[in-house]
């Protein structure tokens, strides 16, 4: 009997070739993403995969399935499907018997899951274990069959199920063409006798860009009809920028103590604002897991480097304050508004970039379309709160004071009044818009840059001003996404973190801390350590 070799599925095993049953040795893995694996995963085979990411699971499923087809000599081509999570391959209808035979033999050796997809059905069929005879009942006449092998990380925190599988479409002959059984992103038909060509990985998922690791997202053999730039494609690069500080660094503490500046509000000087809880490590992990389309990551620091960080790999770079500040006299600074006013000076930064505080995280796979339109327009996310009326007052928080200053300048320049601050969602920014804003408001920009601590005269450059400036000049528009903002200084922190972990249904979330006392921090840290390692179990390549 012909079977697929063990190496073809080695990514789906624990190294021994044996699947890991989810009910043995620990808690059931938490499902990843909104459409979770079915409940029978508790009883069925789940394969342990070190270094697990959604993209790795997707690619491993595709490789396993195409390996089965290679063994029996069935020709196939990648299809530009409408789902970003899994992959789709097309085969000719006349190869159905060989395809189903290969599936039966392969899934007999390495059990997985099947579902028959009816494009006309109101509800998608649930996947069924390949061990169950019911899984095979309708495959002989199916237009589409999806195959997957469920995967978990060694700690059993993630469960990546059927949505990351590979679908086989049976394309019907019609004259000189093969016709698709359902709509895709490019075409209903391909020439039957055309040769395959290589297509860039980004053509087959919006979670992939030209800068994604080619081992996780290789070019695929496809048909020439799929090599088109569609109107909804995002082909421009998107970078990520973080600002980070280690408030426990003695040298940094000394610089802070020697700095001159008036601290006008208790929140401005709160030690909680400068504590490093290792959030940055896990936020970078969130990009590795859920936003592999990011081109470069820049971490802006005051000559500090996280001890866990590798600096010898492409794709991530430390950018010093000394590099980006145009006026060296403004340094050192301990004011996030000041630092944010200079981010667009990072050498090599893309026109389109996301700005993260280190307490912001991607919560599940998110496409760049959540932050930018295909034409390059940025999306911003207005808060349900409102900016207080009236001029800046001594009782204002630093956030409210900066919002009032933003409002006054933009009203004078554009005759429009901004009323809402922004949610704590990664800020989608245009580099040229920030450059123009700095030129249009040089005095206010320079004043913010020179404020060593948050001051009554600050703008909030990235979290509000630059976003509204881009909107008022035609380069940004409001958007929305599922997100959570969680203030750590709450009495029910453990329950809230557990709900976030169990749900995994937010595109992004922020774990903010501005008011914690030293007494709070130790207890919080234990909760955070458990939550972050469970939510983001897979290290990024940039960790030592």
């Amino acid at each position: 009997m012909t079977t697929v070799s063990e190496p073809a599925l080695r990514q789906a095993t624990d190294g021994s070739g044996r699947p890991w049953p989810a009910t043995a040795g620990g808690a059931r893995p938490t499902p990843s993403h909104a459409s979770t694996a079915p409940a029978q995963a508790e009883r069925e085979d789940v394969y342990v995969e070190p270094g697990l990411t959604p993209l790795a699971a997707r690619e491993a499923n595709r490789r396993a399935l195409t390996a089965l087809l290679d063994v029996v000599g069935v020709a196939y081509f990648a299809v530009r499907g409408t789902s970003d999570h899994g992959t789709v391959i097309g085969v000719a209808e006349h190869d159905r018997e060989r395809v189903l035979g290969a599936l039966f033999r392969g899934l007999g050796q390495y059990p997985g899951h099947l579902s028959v997809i009816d494009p006309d059905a109101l509800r998608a069929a649930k996947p069924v274990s390949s061990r169950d005879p019911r899984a095979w009942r309708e495959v002989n006449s199916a237009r589409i069959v999806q195959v997957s092998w469920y995967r978990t990380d060694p700690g059993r925190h993630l469960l990546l199920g059927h949505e990351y599988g590979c679908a086989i479409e049976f394309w019907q002959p019609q004259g000189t063409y093969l016709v698709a059984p359902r709509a895709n992103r490019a075409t209903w038909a391909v020439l039957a006798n055309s040769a395959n060509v290589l297509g860039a990985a980004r053509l087959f998922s919006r979670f992939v860009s030209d800068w994604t690791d080619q081992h996780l997202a290789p070019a695929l053999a496809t048909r020439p009809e799929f090599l088109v730039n569609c109107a909804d494609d995002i082909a421009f690069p998107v970078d990520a920028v973080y600002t980070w500080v280690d408030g426990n660094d003695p040298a940094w503490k000394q610089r802070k103590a020697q700095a001159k500046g008036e601290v006008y509000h208790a929140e401005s000087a709160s030690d909680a604002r400068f504590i490093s809880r290792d959030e940055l490590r896990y936020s970078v992990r969130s990009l590795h897991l859920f936003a592999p389309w990011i081109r470069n990551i820049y971490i802006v620091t005051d000559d500090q480097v996280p001890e866990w960080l590798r600096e010898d790999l492409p794709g991530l770079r430390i950018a010093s304050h000394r590099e980006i500040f145009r006026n060296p006299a403004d340094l050192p600074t301990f004011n996030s508004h000041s630092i944010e006013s200079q981010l667009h000076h990072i050498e090599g930064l893309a026109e389109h970039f996301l700005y993260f505080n280190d307490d912001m995280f991607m919560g599940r796979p998110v496409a760049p379309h959540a932050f930018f339109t295909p034409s390059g327009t940025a999306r911003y996310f207005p808060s349900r709160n409102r900016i207080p009326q009236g001029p800046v007052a001594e009782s204002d928080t630093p956030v409210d004071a900066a919002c009032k200053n933003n409002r006054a300048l933009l009203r004078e320049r554009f005759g429009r009044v901004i009323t809402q601050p922004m949610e704590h969602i990664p800020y989608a920014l245009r580099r040229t818009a920030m450059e123009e804003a700095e030129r249009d408001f040089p005095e206010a920009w320079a004043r913010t840059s020179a404020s060593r601590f948050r001051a009554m005269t600050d703008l909030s450059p990235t979290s509000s001003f630059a976003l509204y400036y881009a909107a008022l000049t035609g380069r940004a528009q409001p958007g929305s996404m599922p997100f959570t903002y969680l203030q750590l200084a709450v009495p029910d922190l453990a329950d809230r973190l557990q709900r976030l972990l169990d749900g995994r249904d937010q595109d992004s979330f922020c774990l903010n801390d501005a008011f914690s006392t030293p007494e709070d921090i130790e207890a919080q840290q234990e909760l955070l350590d458990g939550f972050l390692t469970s939510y983001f179990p897979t290290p990024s390549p940039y960790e030592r």
Side-chain angles (χ1 to χ4, degrees), residues 21 141 147 168 172 211 243 257 290 450:
S141 59
V147 180
I168 301 176
Q172 303 296 317
W211 299 274
T243 50
F290 302 137

Side-chain angles (χ1 to χ4, degrees), residues 30-347:
T30 304
S32 174
H33 196 55
S35 57
T36 60
Q40 71 255 33
E42 294 188 17
R43 303 187 299 273
E44 302 298 348
D45 301 313
V46 179
Y47 297 84
V48 175
E49 182 176 327
L52 183 67
T53 68
L55 194 57
R58 168 181 176 267
E59 176 58 15
N61 282 329
R62 185 196 66 81
R63 286 181 185 273
L65 183 55
T66 56
L68 293 172
L69 301 184
D70 288 337
V71 167
V72 296
V74 170
Y76 54 85
F77 53 89
V79 176
R80 294 185 68 173
T82 58
S83 170
D84 293 310
H85 300 289
T87 49
V88 181
I89 59 173
V91 298
E93 171 62 33
H94 63 72
D95 284 323
R96 176 184 293 271
E97 185 175 347
R98 286 195 294 162
V99 169
L100 296 181
L103 288 182
F104 188 80
R105 290 189 292 270
L107 288 165
Q109 183 176 3
Y110 292 96
H113 288 77
L114 277 81
S115 65
V116 171
I117 298 174
D118 180 357
D120 302 320
L122 296 177
R123 294 182 179 179
K126 292 183 177 180
V128 179
S129 170
S130 61
R131 297 176 185 269
D132 189 331
R134 292 175 300 173
W136 303 95
R137 285 179 181 172
E138 300 177 17
V139 297
N140 286 332
S141 59
R143 289 184 281 175
I144 306 152
V145 176
Q146 181 148 327
V147 180
S148 67
W149 290 266
Y150 289 6
R151 289 172 165 78
T152 186
D153 65 287
R156 285 66 163 167
H157 300 298
L158 293 173
L159 177 63
L160 302 184
H162 201 60
E163 65 180 313
Y164 299 102
C166 185
I168 301 176
E169 295 183 345
F170 293 96
W171 286 51
Q172 303 296 317
Q174 192 173 102
T176 58
Y177 290 93
L178 293 175
V179 178
R182 61 177 173 178
N184 56 62
R185 285 183 172 147
T187 182
W188 275 102
V190 299
L191 286 170
N193 295 324
S194 177
N196 279 355
V197 294
L198 281 181
R202 68 171 176 83
L203 298 175
F204 305 99
S205 173
R206 299 186 306 167
F207 295 124
V208 176
S209 74
D210 287 333
W211 299 274
T212 303
D213 186 342
Q214 294 183 6
H215 295 291
L216 293 179
L220 301 182
T222 188
R223 290 301 178 88
E225 290 86 349
F226 293 110
L227 302 184
V228 293
N229 291 318
C230 296
D232 62 348
D233 289 346
I234 288 183
F236 52 78
V238 180
D239 289 342
V241 176
Y242 288 93
T243 50
W244 179 79
V245 63
D246 179 4
N248 296 319
D249 176 13
W252 181 87
K253 285 185 175 181
Q254 184 176 9
R255 290 195 294 273
K256 181 169 178 271
Q258 293 174 346
K260 296 179 180 179
E262 186 73 19
V263 179
Y264 82 96
H265 191 281
E267 183 184 335
S268 299
S270 169
D271 286 340
R273 293 187 55 77
F274 304 105
I275 291 173
S276 175
R277 300 178 180 269
D278 220 15
E279 300 104 319
L280 178 64
R281 179 203 300 259
Y282 294 99
S283 186
V284 172
R285 285 189 184 188
S286 80
L287 296 185
H288 175 60
L289 280 165
F290 302 137
W293 40 269
I294 291 289
R295 183 187 67 164
N296 290 320
I297 300 171
Y298 298 93
I299 302 175
V300 178
T301 78
D302 185 7
D303 290 324
Q304 296 178 311
V305 179
E307 62 179 11
W308 53 266
L309 183 69
R310 291 184 60 178
E311 295 185 82
D312 60 333
L313 296 178
L316 186 148
R317 183 169 73 82
I318 296 291
S320 168
H321 292 178
R322 292 180 291 104
E323 170 192 333
I324 67 174
F325 269 76
R326 287 298 178 259
N327 186 354
D330 294 344
L331 296 175
T333 185
F334 308 91
N335 177 5
S336 61
H337 291 157
S338 169
I339 299 164
E340 291 161 4
S341 74
Q342 305 297 305
L343 297 183
H344 55 292
H345 298 149
I346 296 173
E347 184 177 357

Side-chain angles (χ1 to χ4, degrees), residues 3 7 220 260 293 319 323 350 409 444 463 477 542:
T3 59
L220 301 182
K260 296 179 180 179
W293 40 269
E323 170 192 333
L409 284 183
S463 62
Q477 65 184 38
Y542 306 109

Side-chain angles (χ1 to χ4, degrees), residues 380 387 389 403-420 441 464-465 467-474 476-478:
Y380 61 91
I387 301 170
Q389 295 295 319
C403 283
K404 288 182 176 183
N405 292 328
N406 298 341
R407 178 175 63 195
L409 284 183
L410 293 172
R411 181 176 185 176
E412 180 181 354
R413 170 70 168 78
F414 296 103
R416 301 289 186 90
V417 175
I418 64 172
T419 61
Q420 296 166 269
F441 304 95
S464 178
F465 193 91
L467 298 170
Y468 279 120
Y469 183 91
L472 293 168
T473 55
Q477 65 184 38

